[in-house]
């Protein structure tokens, strides 16, 4: 057990201090090197602290500021079955080779060591921990550790309903489910996968099996989901949920911007306007969340204020990544490879000295929201943190008339927006939401939007100099006969049944000349209707998929990829649009690309028409096409 006398701990610490500690670098010999002077001084400071307080807790897990780390987060995998935009960088992540990941036995060995030293709570994270095949067995093995009181999991919820009965039987007693929106279309956009209803099923299964509260982690981002705050709070009236609103935090690849962050105080003010009776709940010293409850509601809400009001002074958390590195701070870039020491044959005592030295180097607090945004750190998916996201001013979304969590109470639902319900019913298409906002270059800010950056058809950004005369290329001549009329001149669809399937790619462009006033509002994201570029981007994607429904003689094409890019041109006060479509089949995708570009342009017009009617949609044209019997075409 970790609870041992202070005398024994001090004696053990002094003994280990005299024998040296490791810097944490990979070793070729089992015995670590001599400690550096700062490491020795850190250990001495902790010895002094323990002498003064005689705390009955492991010296190796107590830092120089007296924080006792009894909570360990273990990442089981770097893989995930979703592709969340805020979690994975745009360029993707390089996964660690399987041989370099911790094995199940190594995970359990480290868990035993930490529990022996005083850890009484372990949370399993990822990636997505529930895609690991032996996750149930890992939970069962952890449950056998004497002194471990809590085994939790943070999951995206996709596999939760299926696995939770087995996990509960194995010993899992805490569940956190990441969910940033209650709108199915928005969910699918964020994670690039379907699965919203599976997550909802997982939430219900956790409630059904008696987990109380079921924690729901919601990262709040301006322009994406801060308009759903009241919707999330309303769920706690009839359901035993702890909805935890998390301030958006920076990690490699998620393009953190201060303007995206909605602070705890701003969220609290918004909620108190609707529920002025909101009450503050008492919290534990080591709690990361500020908890509140509305009188009469079953559940509660919490705020995790990592950015605006850090809780570093009471932090009791350590993290082990899937590749076996110990992180003493989520926002720190210093890591110690426990895996390498394990595989080099380090003894338990040597591992404890290594862990103790790392904990001893832990800083009083993280660097602050502006500084950590500039620090090199792992992408979030490789750390095992919680979910977070995006950008821009509010886009109006709603829960429609559909009730994902079956909240029957009228008072719990009365605040749910129905502004978009009618539009959803009319159009049957998903609405738009903001994407990442970037500053390109050192001049005035420009915003460049690209849908699905995994495309192999990346094209140069449009510019006023990029348009020129058409230059056809390839073996096939341009036809001199109209193909969509029969011998008597009547409209007819072309029969493509005998044509071979080939890879078809087409790129089209359009320009919207806004004028200086509307351009400035778009550039600064100050339009009352929301983010014009993002709405237009999604409209372009949707239009490409619906081309055959609006162009009568077009064949339906199963598109494999659609990319819509928008860029602001400050010299012309214009929005430059480029749409790319790809498919394998017997007919081309030029019309899909042209429809996409045109619809994106018309959507920009619609978003800005209240500001100015002197807007011109121009230069809708095909840039290039490849594939097909008539050869390729490229506009110079």
């Amino acid at each position: 057990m970790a609870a041992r006398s202070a005398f024994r701990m001090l004696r053990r610490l002094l003994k280990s201090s005299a024998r040296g500690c490791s810097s944490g670098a990979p070793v070729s010999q089992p015995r670590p090197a001599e400690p550096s002077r700062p490491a020795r001084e850190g250990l001495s400071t902790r010895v002094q602290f323990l002498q003064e307080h005689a705390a009955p807790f492991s010296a190796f897990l107590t830092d120089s500021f007296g924080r006792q780390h009894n909570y360990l987060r273990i990442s089981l995998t770097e893989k995930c079955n979703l592709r969340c935009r805020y979690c994975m960088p745009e360029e993707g992540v390089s996964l660690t080779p399987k041989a370099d990941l911790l094995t199940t036995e190594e995970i359990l060995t480290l868990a035993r060591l930490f529990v022996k030293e005083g850890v009484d709570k372990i949370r399993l994270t990822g990636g997505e921990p529930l895609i690991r095949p032996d996750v149930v067995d890992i939970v069962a093995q952890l449950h056998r550790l004497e002194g471990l009181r809590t085994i939790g999991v943070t999951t995206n919820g996709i596999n939760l309903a299926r696995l939770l009965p087995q996990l509960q039987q194995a010993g899992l007693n805490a569940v956190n489910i990441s969910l940033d929106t209650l709108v199915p279309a928005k969910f699918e956009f964020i994670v690039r996968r379907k699965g919203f209803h599976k997550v909802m099923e997982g939430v219900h299964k956790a409630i059904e099996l008696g987990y109380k509260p079921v924690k729901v982690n919601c990262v709040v981002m301006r322009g994406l989901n801060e308009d759903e705050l009241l919707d999330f709070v309303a769920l706690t009236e009839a359901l035993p949920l702890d909805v935890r609103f998390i301030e958006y935090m920076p990690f490699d690849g998620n393009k953190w911007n201060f303007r995206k962050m909605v602070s705890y105080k701003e969220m609290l003010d918004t909620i108190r306007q609707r529920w002025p009776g909101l009450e503050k709940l008492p919290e534990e010293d080591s709690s990361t969340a500020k908890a509140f409850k509305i009188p009469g509601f079953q559940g509660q809400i919490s705020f995790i204020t990592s950015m605006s009001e850090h809780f570093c002074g009471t932090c009791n958390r350590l993290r082990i990544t899937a590749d076996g590195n110990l992180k003493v701070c989520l926002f720190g870039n210093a890591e110690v490879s426990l895996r390498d020491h394990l595989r080099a044959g380090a003894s338990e005592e040597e591992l404890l000295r290594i862990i103790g030295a790392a904990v001893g180097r832990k800083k009083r607090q993280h660097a602050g929201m502006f500084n950590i945004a500039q620090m090199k750190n792992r992408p979030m998916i490789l750390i095992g943190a919680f979910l977070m996201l995006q950008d821009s001013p509010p886009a109006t979304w709603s829960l429609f008339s559909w009730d994902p969590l079956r909240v029957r109470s009228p008072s719990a639902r009365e605040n749910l927006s129905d502004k978009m319900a009618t539009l959803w019913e009319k159009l049957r298409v998903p609405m738009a939401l903001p994407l990442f906002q970037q500053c390109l270059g050192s001049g005035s800010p420009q915003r460049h939007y690209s849908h699905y950056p995994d495309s192999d058809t990346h094209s140069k950004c449009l510019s006023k100099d990029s348009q020129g005369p058409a230059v056809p290329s390839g073996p096939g001549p341009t036809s001199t006969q109209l193909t969509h009329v029969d011998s008597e001149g009547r409209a007819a669809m072309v029969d493509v049944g005998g044509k071979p399937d080939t890879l078809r790619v087409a790129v089209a462009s359009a320009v919207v000349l806004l004028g200086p006033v509307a351009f400035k509002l778009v550039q600064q994201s100050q339009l009352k209707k929301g983010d014009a570029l993002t709405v237009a981007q999604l409209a372009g994607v949707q239009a490409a998929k619906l081309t055959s429904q609006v162009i009568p003689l077009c064949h339906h094409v199963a598109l494999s990829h659609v990319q819509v890019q928008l860029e602001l041109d400050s010299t012309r006060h214009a929005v430059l649009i480029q749409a790319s479509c790809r498919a394998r089949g017997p007919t081309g995708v030029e019309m899909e690309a042209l429809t996409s570009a045109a619809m994106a342009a018309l959507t920009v017009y619609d978003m800005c028409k209240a500001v100015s009617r002197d807007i011109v949609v121009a230069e809708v044209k095909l840039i290039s096409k490849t594939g097909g019997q008539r050869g390729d075409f490229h506009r110079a």
Side-chain angles (χ1 to χ4, degrees):
M1 286 291 294
R4 55 193 66 178
S5 70
F7 175 76
R8 289 184 61 191
M9 286 192 300
L10 289 171
R11 184 177 63 181
R12 187 175 181 183
L13 178 62
L14 290 168
K15 179 181 177 182
S16 64
S17 178
R19 295 180 60 183
C21 64
S22 169
S23 66
V27 297
S28 57
Q29 299 296 327
R31 185 171 301 281
E34 281 294 313
S36 63
R37 181 174 179 179
R40 291 198 302 269
E41 291 174 352
L43 289 172
S44 299
T45 305
R46 284 188 293 142
V47 170
Q48 181 181 355
F49 174 85
L50 290 171
Q51 287 174 334
E52 293 173 356
H53 295 80
F57 189 84
S58 170
F60 298 99
L61 300 186
T62 304
D63 67 17
S64 56
F65 304 101
R67 293 173 294 202
Q68 299 174 346
H69 296 79
N70 66 329
Y71 179 4
L72 179 65
R73 298 171 68 96
I74 302 176
S75 175
L76 297 185
T77 179
E78 295 175 348
K79 295 181 179 180
C80 187
N81 47 2
L82 299 181
R83 291 293 181 269
C84 300
R85 296 173 181 273
Y86 51 80
C87 184
M88 285 194 179
E90 287 184 319
E91 66 275 13
V93 295
S94 298
L95 297 178
T96 303
K98 185 176 180 181
D100 294 333
L101 298 174
L102 289 178
T103 65
T104 300
E105 186 53 43
E106 287 170 336
I107 290 172
L108 295 173
T109 296
L110 291 174
R112 290 188 201 102
L113 181 59
F114 277 90
V115 171
K116 185 178 178 181
E117 290 300 308
V119 164
D120 59 12
K121 179 177 181 179
I122 289 179
R123 177 167 297 279
L124 303 176
T125 65
E128 169 49 41
L130 298 192
I131 66 173
R132 182 159 177 142
D134 59 349
V135 62
V136 175
D137 182 58
I138 289 175
V139 171
Q141 296 280 355
L142 292 175
H143 187 58
R144 299 190 182 102
L145 299 181
E146 184 180 357
L148 185 59
R149 295 187 304 165
T150 303
I151 305 172
V153 67
T154 295
T155 173
N156 61 29
I158 296 294
N159 294 337
L160 187 61
R162 175 173 59 86
L163 291 175
L164 192 53
Q166 303 171 59
L167 289 167
Q168 185 181 55
Q169 187 174 8
L172 187 76
N173 48 20
V175 178
N176 285 37
I177 304 168
S178 299
L179 181 64
D180 299 315
T181 178
L182 298 173
V183 182
K186 192 190 297 188
F187 176 91
E188 187 173 337
F189 177 83
I190 291 172
V191 306
R192 299 189 181 108
R193 296 289 188 275
K194 297 182 182 296
F196 180 80
H197 294 84
K198 289 185 178 180
V199 178
M200 293 299 105
E201 185 182 356
V203 173
H204 283 294
K205 178 60 69 172
I207 294 173
E208 176 188 322
L209 293 177
Y211 287 92
K212 188 174 182 179
V214 176
K215 294 183 178 180
V216 175
N217 293 343
C218 175
V219 179
V220 180
M221 293 141 290
R222 194 176 307 282
L224 180 72
N225 62 352
E226 89 274 26
D227 60 328
E228 293 188 62
L229 280 171
L230 302 183
D231 300 341
F232 272 103
V233 176
L235 297 178
T236 67
E237 179 174 2
L239 298 170
L241 301 176
D242 179 4
V243 177
R244 293 146 52 93
F245 297 117
I246 301 169
E247 291 178 338
Y248 171 64
M249 299 182 296
F251 288 90
D252 270 11
N254 72 352
K255 292 183 173 61
W256 187 82
N257 187 304
F258 174 72
R259 289 174 295 177
K260 303 175 188 178
M261 192 193 80
V262 183
S263 72
Y264 145 66
K265 289 185 176 179
E266 182 180 344
M267 290 187 270
L268 189 61
D269 288 345
T270 299
I271 294 169
R272 274 197 164 134
Q273 289 178 22
R274 173 65 181 84
W275 288 285
L278 188 68
E279 297 177 350
K280 180 77 166 61
L281 297 177
E283 58 197 48
E284 297 179 2
D285 290 341
S286 61
S287 176
T288 61
K290 295 175 172 63
F292 293 80
K293 187 177 180 67
I294 299 171
F297 280 29
Q298 282 195 44
Q300 66 182 51
I301 62 172
S302 304
F303 300 90
I304 298 179
T305 62
S306 305
M307 304 306 294
S308 65
E309 296 184 16
H310 69 77
F311 34 80
C312 300
T314 58
C315 178
N316 66 338
R317 289 155 174 74
L318 300 172
R319 288 173 171 79
I320 298 177
T321 61
D323 58 354
N325 281 9
L326 175 66
K327 286 179 70 76
V328 297
C329 176
L330 175 63
F331 294 108
N333 51 19
E335 301 180 1
V336 176
S337 178
L338 301 181
R339 175 204 65 203
D340 289 345
H341 286 87
L342 266 177
R343 294 181 182 181
S347 67
E348 180 177 306
E349 188 175 1
E350 289 166 341
L351 285 171
L352 285 175
R353 288 204 306 273
I354 294 163
I355 293 167
V359 172
R361 291 190 296 268
K362 186 171 181 176
K363 297 178 181 179
R364 182 183 293 273
Q365 65 187 54
H366 66 61
M369 70 176 75
F370 296 106
N371 290 329
I372 60 178
Q374 307 303 320
M375 291 170 56
K376 186 66 179 174
N377 196 2
R378 292 181 181 224
M380 189 191 60
I381 192 171
L382 302 185
I383 295 177
F386 31 65
L387 302 185
M388 52 205 71
L389 190 60
Q390 266 216 149
D391 183 7
S392 291
T396 306
W397 290 79
S398 77
L399 287 174
F400 320 130
S401 57
W402 175 75
D403 183 1
L405 291 178
R406 301 190 285 276
V407 180
R408 303 303 181 191
S409 168
S411 60
R413 293 177 49 84
E414 66 182 273
N415 67 306
L416 304 185
S417 168
D418 62 355
K419 292 180 181 179
M420 300 302 288
T422 304
L423 188 57
W424 176 274
E425 290 298 324
K426 288 181 179 179
L427 300 181
R428 303 289 183 182
V429 298
M431 299 305 295
L433 63 159
L435 283 177
F436 299 113
Q437 181 169 319
Q438 306 176 36
C439 286
L440 302 180
S442 58
S444 60
Q446 292 185 337
R447 298 162 64 208
H448 183 213
Y449 290 66
S450 177
H451 182 77
Y452 297 151
D454 56 343
S455 169
D456 60 2
T457 60
H458 286 179
S459 302
K460 294 181 180 179
C461 293
L462 294 174
S463 71
K464 61 182 179 181
D465 300 321
S466 66
Q467 294 118 19
V471 181
S473 61
T478 302
S479 173
T480 58
Q481 302 295 323
L482 294 176
T483 58
H484 287 76
V485 294
D486 61 17
S487 58
E488 298 181 3
R490 292 174 299 194
M493 179 177 278
V494 175
D495 184 357
V496 297
K499 298 175 67 176
D501 286 354
T502 59
L503 180 64
R504 313 291 187 116
V505 179
V507 180
S509 67
V511 177
V512 185
L513 303 172
L514 293 174
V517 176
F519 180 85
K520 184 176 181 181
L521 293 175
V522 171
Q523 186 180 51
Q524 298 179 355
S525 296
Q526 293 182 350
L527 288 173
K528 290 184 178 180
K529 282 190 174 184
D531 191 322
L533 300 186
T534 301
V535 176
Q537 182 198 39
L538 268 293
V541 173
Q542 191 67 24
K545 296 187 289 185
L546 297 175
T547 298
S548 64
Q549 298 182 33
V550 294
I551 307 295
L553 300 182
C554 275
H555 295 83
H556 174 70
V557 176
L559 294 170
S560 60
H561 179 79
V562 181
Q563 183 184 48
V564 180
Q565 297 175 302
L566 297 97
E567 183 184 352
L568 293 179
D569 181 352
S570 57
T571 61
R572 303 171 69 190
H573 299 128
V575 178
L576 310 180
I577 301 168
Q578 183 168 287
S580 171
C581 295
R582 184 172 67 222
R584 179 171 291 278
T587 187
V589 290
E590 300 100 303
M591 291 309 302
E592 283 71 17
L594 286 163
T595 303
S596 177
M599 186 58 68
L602 291 174
T603 301
V604 172
Y605 184 102
D606 179 64
M607 295 290 287
C608 300
K609 67 184 181 185
V611 178
S612 172
R613 296 299 174 92
D614 190 24
I615 300 173
V616 178
V617 175
E619 303 175 31
V620 179
K621 58 190 175 186
L622 184 67
I623 299 297
S624 66
K625 67 169 286 289
T626 59
Q629 295 178 347
R630 288 188 292 157
D632 297 346
F633 166 86
H634 298 281
R635 190 178 298 273

